[in-house]
Amino acid sequence: MSHSSITAILNQLQRVLLGKPHQIKLALTCILAKGHLLIEDLPGMGKTSLSQGMAQSLGLSHQRIQFTSDMLPADILGVSIFDKEQSQFVFHPGPIFKQMILADEINRASPKTQSALLEAMAEQQISIDGITHALPSPFFVIATQNPSEQSGTFPLPESQLDRFMMRISIGYPDETAEMAMLKGEDVSPAQQHLPACIDPLTLIELQSQVSKVKASEALLNYILALVKGSRQLNEGYGLSPRASKALLNAAKAWAFIQGRNYLVPDDVQAVFAAVAEHRLRHTSQQQGEALSQRLLASTNPIL
């Protein structure tokens, strides 16, 4: 039952974003691994469509928040307003109180507003005026951002980047897919509501099954070798313990999507770039992509 549900989700999303099965599979992997997803690319590449399609396909309540330079934290979290009749402050929840938040163009907001998401993403709760408010379960943030070299953007701080389990880029479609789009063969989740393939309780059950995927000690040593190798690079700063856990969980979700209940090195390699590249701090001209490829090429799994 579980794998047929996953197949249905993937098939539906591939009608939303034509010609990008690998990126779609990575996005679903992130959600099944209980992670937050960052989609970075140029405007008009389908970032928002994929985010909306994911929320609708998983049957989650969702809210799209368009980030702007003048947005305040209260615009996301909510605000306490004094009620004269009750003679007390009453909290009015903001748009973050949904199961999936589509944070569109997150890097157009100021660092202060970006940081408002930190507690929500890390603890699944927010604090307003000293009072803690629990967020819905399950809770995910899918954020989109434009390349940092574009005007009007504020780079995400390292602490914020590290909250995202995975970062993906969609890239230009191939000629066949773009022709299909021009013919109207793609589905826009903003214009027509997609049917839910599963409900939130089923998603939680799938996530539970993902956590039970087995990893041998040799496979864990392979993950540790990749992480250790990143810390020995002269060009940058290595992966944190949080990143090593994210790599393991993402690999488990990838294996689960493939229909297996055990890990193989291919699972780790499939998700490594998406988990590692935005965390690799480079002090030279080498980018995270080049560093991640070097790590994979120089680290051999011993099984």
Side-chain angles (χ1 to χ4, degrees), residues 7-262:
T7 301
I9 295 168
L10 291 174
N11 288 341
Q12 179 156 281
L13 291 175
Q14 285 170 16
R15 292 170 49 229
V16 172
L17 192 65
L18 300 178
K20 298 294 178 181
H22 184 69
Q23 287 85 343
I24 289 170
K25 195 176 291 186
L26 283 173
L28 183 58
T29 293
C30 187
I31 300 302
L32 290 176
K34 302 181 181 180
H36 304 293
L37 178 66
L38 179 63
I39 308 176
E40 182 180 62
D41 221 319
L42 296 167
M45 304 296 275
K47 302 186 299 295
T48 305
S49 292
L50 176 58
S51 304
Q52 292 175 328
M54 182 73 71
Q56 294 179 15
S57 298
L58 298 177
L60 301 176
S61 63
H62 64 283
Q63 178 69 51
R64 176 179 176 268
I65 305 174
Q66 176 64 54
F67 280 64
T68 58
S69 59
D70 59 350
M71 177 176 281
L72 299 174
D75 297 328
I76 302 171
L77 306 180
V79 65
S80 294
I81 299 176
F82 188 76
D83 188 311
K84 292 182 179 179
E85 294 183 1
Q86 301 183 44
S87 297
Q88 64 180 9
F89 283 93
V90 176
F91 177 64
H92 293 259
I96 200 170
F97 285 84
K98 298 289 184 181
Q99 292 169 322
M100 182 172 283
I101 300 301
L102 313 179
D104 217 359
E105 298 186 308
I106 187 174
N107 59 337
R108 292 207 177 277
S110 68
K112 182 177 182 180
T113 301
Q114 292 175 7
S115 66
L117 285 175
L118 269 177
E119 183 185 10
M121 295 172 67
E123 308 294 340
Q124 201 172 326
Q125 65 182 29
I126 63 167
S127 298
I128 301 289
D129 299 330
I131 300 175
T132 298
H133 302 272
L135 293 171
S137 182
F139 175 77
F140 304 102
V141 172
I142 297 184
T144 73
Q145 72 169 355
N146 298 328
S148 57
E149 61 269 16
Q150 290 203 337
S151 61
T153 60
F154 298 86
L156 291 176
E158 285 78 4
S159 58
Q160 182 81 20
L161 278 173
D162 199 41
R163 299 295 187 223
F164 290 100
M165 174 178 281
M166 299 172 71
R167 182 190 68 177
I168 65 173
S169 295
I170 294 174
Y172 292 111
D174 59 33
E175 189 174 333
T176 302
E178 196 157 10
M179 176 61 77
M181 293 178 201
L182 293 175
K183 292 180 177 178
E185 295 176 17
D186 57 332
V187 177
S188 171
Q191 295 176 353
Q192 58 181 61
H193 193 81
L194 300 175
C197 299
I198 59 174
D199 57 32
L201 290 178
T202 304
L203 175 58
I204 292 173
E205 174 58 29
L206 292 177
Q207 291 171 330
S208 174
Q209 293 179 38
V210 165
S211 66
K212 297 173 184 175
V213 172
K214 299 179 180 63
S216 68
E217 188 158 342
L219 203 289
L220 295 177
N221 282 329
Y222 178 45
I223 292 176
L224 287 176
L226 286 167
V227 172
K228 182 179 178 182
S230 76
R231 296 168 186 171
Q232 295 172 341
L233 291 171
N234 293 325
E235 292 89 348
Y237 306 101
L239 298 173
S240 67
R242 179 187 286 147
S244 62
K245 289 183 66 176
L247 182 56
L248 173 62
N249 293 335
K252 285 184 175 184
W254 185 272
F256 184 76
I257 288 176
Q258 307 305 313
R260 280 183 280 102
N261 65 347
Y262 59 90

